[in-house]
Coordinates of all heavy atoms in Angstrom, one line a residue:
E24 N 94.9 157.5 54.1 CA 93.5 157.1 54.1 C 93.1 156.6 55.5 O 92.1 157.0 56.0 CB 93.2 156.1 53.0 CG 91.7 155.7 52.9 CD 91.5 154.6 51.9 OE1 92.1 154.7 50.7 OE2 90.7 153.6 52.1
M25 N 93.9 155.7 56.0 CA 93.6 155.1 57.3 C 93.7 156.2 58.4 O 92.9 156.2 59.2 CB 94.6 154.0 57.6 CG 94.3 153.2 58.9 SD 95.5 151.9 59.3 CE 95.1 150.8 58.0
A26 N 94.7 157.0 58.3 CA 94.8 158.1 59.4 C 93.6 159.0 59.3 O 93.0 159.4 60.3 CB 96.1 158.9 59.1
G27 N 93.1 159.3 58.1 CA 91.9 160.2 57.9 C 90.7 159.5 58.5 O 89.9 160.1 59.1
T28 N 90.6 158.2 58.1 CA 89.4 157.5 58.6 C 89.4 157.4 60.1 O 88.4 157.5 60.7 CB 89.4 156.0 58.0 OG1 89.4 156.1 56.6 CG2 88.3 155.2 58.4
T29 N 90.5 157.1 60.6 CA 90.7 157.0 62.2 C 90.3 158.3 62.8 O 89.6 158.5 63.8 CB 92.1 156.6 62.6 OG1 92.4 155.4 61.9 CG2 92.3 156.5 64.1
K30 N 90.8 159.4 62.2 CA 90.5 160.8 62.8 C 89.0 161.1 62.7 O 88.4 161.5 63.6 CB 91.3 161.8 61.9 CG 91.1 163.2 62.5 CD 92.0 164.2 61.6 CE 91.7 165.6 62.1 NZ 92.5 166.6 61.3
L31 N 88.4 160.8 61.6 CA 86.9 161.0 61.4 C 86.1 160.0 62.4 O 85.1 160.5 63.0 CB 86.5 160.8 60.0 CG 86.9 161.8 59.0 CD1 86.6 161.4 57.5 CD2 86.3 163.2 59.3
S32 N 86.6 158.9 62.5 CA 85.9 157.9 63.5 C 86.0 158.5 64.9 O 85.0 158.4 65.6 CB 86.6 156.6 63.4 OG 86.3 155.9 62.2
L33 N 87.1 159.1 65.3 CA 87.3 159.6 66.7 C 86.4 160.9 66.7 O 85.6 161.0 67.7 CB 88.7 160.1 66.9 CG 88.9 160.8 68.2 CD1 88.6 159.8 69.4 CD2 90.4 161.2 68.3
Q34 N 86.3 161.7 65.7 CA 85.4 162.9 65.7 C 84.0 162.4 65.8 O 83.2 163.1 66.6 CB 85.7 163.8 64.6 CG 86.9 164.5 64.6 CD 87.2 165.2 63.3 OE1 86.7 164.9 62.2 NE2 88.2 166.2 63.4
I35 N 83.6 161.4 65.1 CA 82.2 160.9 65.1 C 81.9 160.4 66.5 O 80.8 160.7 67.1 CB 82.0 159.8 64.0 CG1 82.0 160.4 62.7 CG2 80.7 159.0 64.3 CD1 82.1 159.4 61.5
S36 N 82.7 159.6 67.2 CA 82.5 159.1 68.5 C 82.4 160.3 69.4 O 81.5 160.2 70.4 CB 83.7 158.3 69.0 OG 83.7 157.1 68.2
Q37 N 83.1 161.3 69.3 CA 83.1 162.5 70.3 C 81.7 163.2 70.1 O 81.1 163.6 71.0 CB 84.2 163.4 70.0 CG 85.6 162.9 70.5 CD 86.8 163.7 70.1 OE1 86.7 164.5 69.1 NE2 87.9 163.6 70.8
E38 N 81.3 163.4 68.9 CA 80.0 164.0 68.6 C 78.9 163.2 69.0 O 77.9 163.7 69.6 CB 79.8 164.4 67.1 CG 80.8 165.5 66.6 CD 80.6 166.8 67.4 OE1 79.4 167.2 67.6 OE2 81.6 167.4 67.8
E39 N 79.0 161.9 68.9 CA 77.9 161.0 69.4 C 77.8 161.1 71.0 O 76.7 161.1 71.5 CB 78.2 159.5 69.0 CG 77.9 159.2 67.5 CD 78.3 157.9 67.1 OE1 79.1 157.2 67.7 OE2 77.8 157.4 66.1
A40 N 78.9 161.2 71.6 CA 79.0 161.3 73.1 C 78.3 162.6 73.5 O 77.6 162.7 74.4 CB 80.4 161.2 73.6
K41 N 78.7 163.7 72.8 CA 78.1 165.0 73.1 C 76.6 165.0 72.9 O 75.8 165.6 73.6 CB 78.7 166.1 72.2 CG 80.1 166.5 72.6 CD 80.6 167.5 71.5 CE 82.1 167.8 71.8 NZ 82.6 168.8 70.8
L42 N 76.2 164.3 71.8 CA 74.8 164.3 71.5 C 74.0 163.5 72.6 O 72.9 163.9 73.1 CB 74.5 163.5 70.1 CG 73.1 163.5 69.7 CD1 72.4 164.8 69.5 CD2 73.0 162.6 68.3
K43 N 74.6 162.3 73.0 CA 74.0 161.5 74.1 C 73.9 162.4 75.4 O 72.8 162.4 76.1 CB 74.8 160.3 74.3 CG 74.2 159.4 75.4 CD 75.0 158.1 75.5 CE 74.4 157.2 76.6 NZ 75.1 156.0 76.8
K44 N 74.9 163.2 75.8 CA 74.9 163.9 76.9 C 73.8 165.0 76.8 O 73.1 165.4 77.8 CB 76.2 164.6 77.2 CG 77.3 163.6 77.8 CD 78.6 164.3 78.0 CE 79.6 163.3 78.5 NZ 80.9 164.0 78.8
A45 N 73.7 165.6 75.6 CA 72.7 166.6 75.3 C 71.3 166.1 75.5 O 70.4 166.7 76.1 CB 72.8 167.3 74.0
Y46 N 71.1 164.9 75.0 CA 69.7 164.3 75.2 C 69.4 164.0 76.6 O 68.3 164.2 77.2 CB 69.6 162.9 74.4 CG 69.2 163.0 72.9 CD1 70.0 162.5 72.0 CD2 68.1 163.8 72.5 CE1 69.6 162.6 70.6 CE2 67.7 163.8 71.3 CZ 68.5 163.3 70.3 OH 68.1 163.3 68.9
E47 N 70.4 163.5 77.4 CA 70.3 163.3 78.8 C 70.0 164.5 79.6 O 69.1 164.5 80.4 CB 71.5 162.6 79.4 CG 71.8 161.1 78.9 CD 73.1 160.5 79.3 OE1 73.9 161.3 79.8 OE2 73.3 159.4 78.9
A48 N 70.7 165.6 79.2 CA 70.5 166.9 79.9 C 69.0 167.4 79.6 O 68.4 167.9 80.5 CB 71.6 167.9 79.5
L49 N 68.6 167.2 78.3 CA 67.3 167.7 78.0 C 66.3 166.9 78.7 O 65.3 167.5 79.3 CB 67.1 167.5 76.5 CG 65.7 167.8 76.0 CD1 65.3 169.2 76.2 CD2 65.6 167.4 74.5
G50 N 66.4 165.6 78.8 CA 65.5 164.7 79.5 C 65.4 165.0 81.0 O 64.4 165.1 81.6
E51 N 66.6 165.2 81.6 CA 66.6 165.6 83.0 C 66.0 166.9 83.3 O 65.2 167.1 84.2 CB 68.1 165.6 83.5 CG 68.2 165.8 85.0 CD 69.6 165.6 85.5 OE1 70.5 165.2 84.8 OE2 69.9 166.0 86.6
A52 N 66.3 167.9 82.4 CA 65.7 169.2 82.6 C 64.1 169.2 82.4 O 63.4 169.8 83.1 CB 66.3 170.3 81.6
Y53 N 63.7 168.5 81.4 CA 62.3 168.3 81.1 C 61.6 167.6 82.3 O 60.6 168.0 82.8 CB 62.0 167.5 79.9 CG 60.5 167.5 79.6 CD1 60.0 168.5 78.8 CD2 59.7 166.4 80.0 CE1 58.7 168.5 78.5 CE2 58.4 166.4 79.5 CZ 57.8 167.5 78.9 OH 56.5 167.5 78.6
F54 N 62.2 166.6 82.9 CA 61.7 165.9 84.0 C 61.6 166.8 85.2 O 60.5 166.8 85.9 CB 62.6 164.6 84.3 CG 62.0 163.9 85.6 CD1 60.9 163.0 85.5 CD2 62.7 164.1 86.7 CE1 60.6 162.4 86.6 CE2 62.2 163.4 87.9 CZ 61.2 162.6 87.8
K55 N 62.6 167.5 85.5 CA 62.5 168.5 86.7 C 61.5 169.5 86.5 O 60.9 169.9 87.4 CB 63.9 169.1 86.8 CG 65.0 168.1 87.4 CD 66.3 168.7 87.6 CE 67.3 167.7 88.2 NZ 68.7 168.3 88.3
N56 N 61.3 170.0 85.3 CA 60.3 171.0 85.1 C 58.9 170.5 85.0 O 57.9 171.3 85.2 CB 60.6 171.8 83.9 CG 61.9 172.8 84.1 OD1 62.1 173.2 85.1 ND2 62.7 172.9 83.0
H57 N 58.7 169.3 84.6 CA 57.4 168.7 84.3 C 57.1 167.4 85.1 O 56.3 166.7 84.7 CB 57.2 168.5 82.9 CG 57.3 169.7 82.1 ND1 56.3 170.6 81.9 CD2 58.4 170.1 81.3 CE1 56.7 171.6 81.1 NE2 57.9 171.4 80.7
E58 N 57.7 167.2 86.2 CA 57.6 166.0 87.0 C 56.1 165.8 87.3 O 55.7 164.6 87.3 CB 58.4 166.0 88.2 CG 58.5 164.8 89.0 CD 59.3 164.7 90.2 OE1 60.1 165.7 90.4 OE2 59.3 163.7 91.0
N59 N 55.4 166.8 87.7 CA 54.0 166.6 88.2 C 53.0 166.8 87.1 O 51.9 166.5 87.3 CB 53.8 167.5 89.4 CG 54.7 167.2 90.5 OD1 55.0 166.0 90.9 ND2 55.2 168.2 91.2
D60 N 53.4 167.3 86.0 CA 52.4 167.5 84.9 C 52.9 166.8 83.5 O 52.8 167.4 82.5 CB 52.1 168.9 84.7 CG 53.3 169.7 84.3 OD1 54.4 169.3 84.4 OD2 53.1 170.9 83.7
M61 N 53.4 165.6 83.7 CA 54.1 164.9 82.7 C 52.9 164.4 81.6 O 52.0 163.8 82.1 CB 54.9 163.7 83.1 CG 55.7 163.0 82.2 SD 57.2 163.9 81.7 CE 58.0 164.1 83.2
P62 N 53.1 164.7 80.3 CA 52.1 164.2 79.4 C 52.1 162.7 79.4 O 53.1 162.0 79.7 CB 52.7 164.7 78.0 CG 53.6 165.9 78.3 CD 54.1 165.6 79.7
E63 N 51.0 162.1 79.0 CA 50.7 160.7 79.2 C 51.8 159.8 78.5 O 52.3 158.8 79.2 CB 49.3 160.3 78.5 CG 49.0 158.8 78.8 CD 49.0 158.5 80.2 OE1 48.6 159.2 81.1 OE2 49.5 157.4 80.5
P64 N 52.3 160.0 77.3 CA 53.3 159.1 76.8 C 54.6 159.1 77.6 O 55.3 158.1 77.6 CB 53.6 159.7 75.4 CG 52.5 160.6 75.1 CD 51.9 161.1 76.4
Y65 N 54.8 160.1 78.4 CA 56.1 160.1 79.2 C 55.9 159.9 80.6 O 56.9 159.7 81.3 CB 56.7 161.5 79.0 CG 56.9 162.0 77.5 CD1 56.1 163.0 77.0 CD2 57.7 161.3 76.7 CE1 56.2 163.3 75.8 CE2 57.9 161.7 75.4 CZ 57.1 162.6 74.9 OH 57.2 163.0 73.6
A66 N 54.7 159.7 81.0 CA 54.4 159.5 82.5 C 54.9 158.1 83.0 O 55.4 158.0 84.1 CB 52.9 159.5 82.7
V67 N 55.0 157.1 82.1 CA 55.6 155.9 82.4 C 57.1 156.0 82.8 O 57.5 155.5 83.8 CB 55.4 154.8 81.3 CG1 56.1 153.5 81.6 CG2 54.0 154.6 81.0
Y68 N 57.8 156.7 82.0 CA 59.2 157.0 82.2 C 59.4 157.8 83.5 O 60.3 157.5 84.3 CB 59.8 157.8 81.0 CG 59.7 157.1 79.7 CD1 59.0 157.6 78.6 CD2 60.4 155.9 79.6 CE1 58.9 157.0 77.5 CE2 60.3 155.2 78.3 CZ 59.6 155.8 77.3 OH 59.5 155.1 76.1
A69 N 58.5 158.8 83.8 CA 58.7 159.6 85.0 C 58.4 158.7 86.3 O 59.2 158.8 87.2 CB 57.6 160.7 85.0

Side-chain angles (χ1 to χ4, degrees):
E24 180 183 320
M25 185 181 291
T28 302
T29 302
K30 183 178 178 181
L31 287 173
S32 294
L33 177 62
Q34 289 174 339
I35 289 169
S36 293
Q37 290 171 339
E38 289 302 317
E39 287 174 339
K41 287 179 187 177
L42 181 61
K43 184 177 179 179
K44 286 181 181 180
Y46 275 127
E47 289 172 357
L49 174 63
E51 186 175 347
Y53 187 84
F54 176 78
K55 288 180 179 178
N56 288 323
H57 299 283
E58 182 177 358
N59 297 321
D60 63 342
M61 191 72 61
E63 187 55 41
Y65 309 109
V67 173
Y68 300 117

